[in-house]
Amino acid sequence: DGAINHVSFGPGDSVVTASQDGTARIWSVVTGKETGRLNMGTAPVTTAVFSKDGARILASTADGQSWLWRLDDHALIASWHSHGPGASRAIFSPDESRIVTISGDTNVRIFRNFFDTQAIFDHAKATIKRRLSQCEREQYFLATPSDETSCQ
């Protein structure tokens, strides 16, 4: 178990901790027991915050990666490299339409926050005027690209 880098209250009786051991853990304030664990590899988790409705958790790791998780089933919605290595932070904008990331590389990045996978596809259809190749679909829409990609 790693040292805790960050803690954030969620709706109801939950808190989430960001740990040095590469996990974000969800806890019940009432019982003090761990109710879930989100694994993000070996890089320390620097922040973890709940969405306003408590349905998602946004986390960032010291290797510059950001992670968006569903709380109900602990499924990864998306992960992306937003910065180079160095302590990073991620937060939702007040209306949750954007995600802001900062890092030791002195950059601030703002990303559109899509609330579900269908919203991503709808946005892509509206903004991309041609059909994407299989390679492009894998590159842009898979949360974690596999080694078995059709991209050459």
Side-chain angles (χ1 to χ4, degrees), residues 24-86:
R25 298 176 191 200
I26 302 103
W27 304 86
S28 167
V29 174
V30 175
T31 66
K33 300 218 184 275
E34 182 179 320
T35 60
R37 186 178 299 199
L38 308 172
N39 294 305
M40 287 164 261
T42 58
V45 180
T46 54
T47 56
V49 295
F50 286 95
S51 59
K52 284 183 190 178
D53 63 4
R56 289 163 290 131
I57 291 177
L58 174 63
S60 59
T61 51
D63 62 357
Q65 194 159 345
S66 297
W67 308 73
L68 187 60
W69 300 85
R70 255 193 331 260
L71 187 59
D72 61 355
D73 60 1
H74 302 152
L76 180 63
I77 298 170
S79 66
W80 64 98
H81 284 279
S82 48
H83 296 274

Side-chain angles (χ1 to χ4, degrees), residues 12-14 23 28 31 43 45 47 54 89-91 95 97 101-103 119 130 148 151:
D13 72 343
S14 294
T23 65
S28 167
T31 66
V45 180
T47 56
R89 302 276 187 245
I91 60 169
D95 67 357
S97 67
T101 63
I102 61 170
S103 184
R130 63 175 177 78
E148 301 294 324
C151 301

Side-chain angles (χ1 to χ4, degrees), residues 113-145:
N113 182 23
F114 293 100
F115 294 97
D116 59 32
T117 307
Q118 188 59 50
I120 295 170
F121 287 114
D122 292 345
H123 176 74
K125 283 185 203 175
T127 58
I128 299 171
K129 301 302 180 193
R130 63 175 177 78
R131 184 170 172 81
L132 295 177
S133 69
Q134 179 64 31
C135 178
E136 290 169 320
R137 286 192 299 277
E138 289 175 10
Q139 181 180 0
Y140 294 114
F141 295 115
L142 294 180
T144 51

